[in-house]
């Protein structure tokens, strides 16, 4: 069984880099590290379709 996935895009609150992470379509939150500065963020599905809300963890 394959779970559909969506791309979560989030903006690093530290350096402003846009990051992308593939997450299961039914998930509302995830954790990811900025690919540029490695800051760990909690990322939550926002009101906007593509961009998710990120908070420094
Ligand atoms: Zn960053």
């Amino acid at each position: 069984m394959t779970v559909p996935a969506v791309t979560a895009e989030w903006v690093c609150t530290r350096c402003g880099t846009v990051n992308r992470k593939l997450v299961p379509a039914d998930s509302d939150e995830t954790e990811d590290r900025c690919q540029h500065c490695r800051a760990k963020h909690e990322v939550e599905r926002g009101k906007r379709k593509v961009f998710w809300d990120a908070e420094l963890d």
Side-chain angles (χ1 to χ4, degrees), residues 1 6 12 14-15 19 22 28 34-35 38 42 46 52:
M1 204 170 102
V6 294
C12 178
R14 184 183 281 175
C15 72
N19 295 277
L22 210 56
D28 289 327
C34 175
Q35 59 179 342
R38 310 306 295 169
E42 290 185 1
W52 288 34

Side-chain angles (χ1 to χ4, degrees), residues 3-54:
V3 179
V6 294
T7 302
E9 291 194 43
W10 59 276
V11 180
C12 178
T13 59
R14 184 183 281 175
C15 72
T17 294
V18 176
N19 295 277
R20 291 176 184 83
K21 185 181 184 182
L22 210 56
V23 298
D26 61 354
S27 88
D28 289 327
E29 57 183 25
T30 186
E31 285 185 352
D32 198 11
R33 278 185 192 278
C34 175
Q35 59 179 342
H36 182 71
C37 72
R38 310 306 295 169
K40 188 179 177 190
H41 284 66
E42 290 185 1
V43 184
E44 289 187 8
R45 187 189 294 273
K47 293 187 181 70
R48 293 157 294 179
K49 278 266 183 209
V50 177
F51 275 96
W52 288 34
D53 297 327

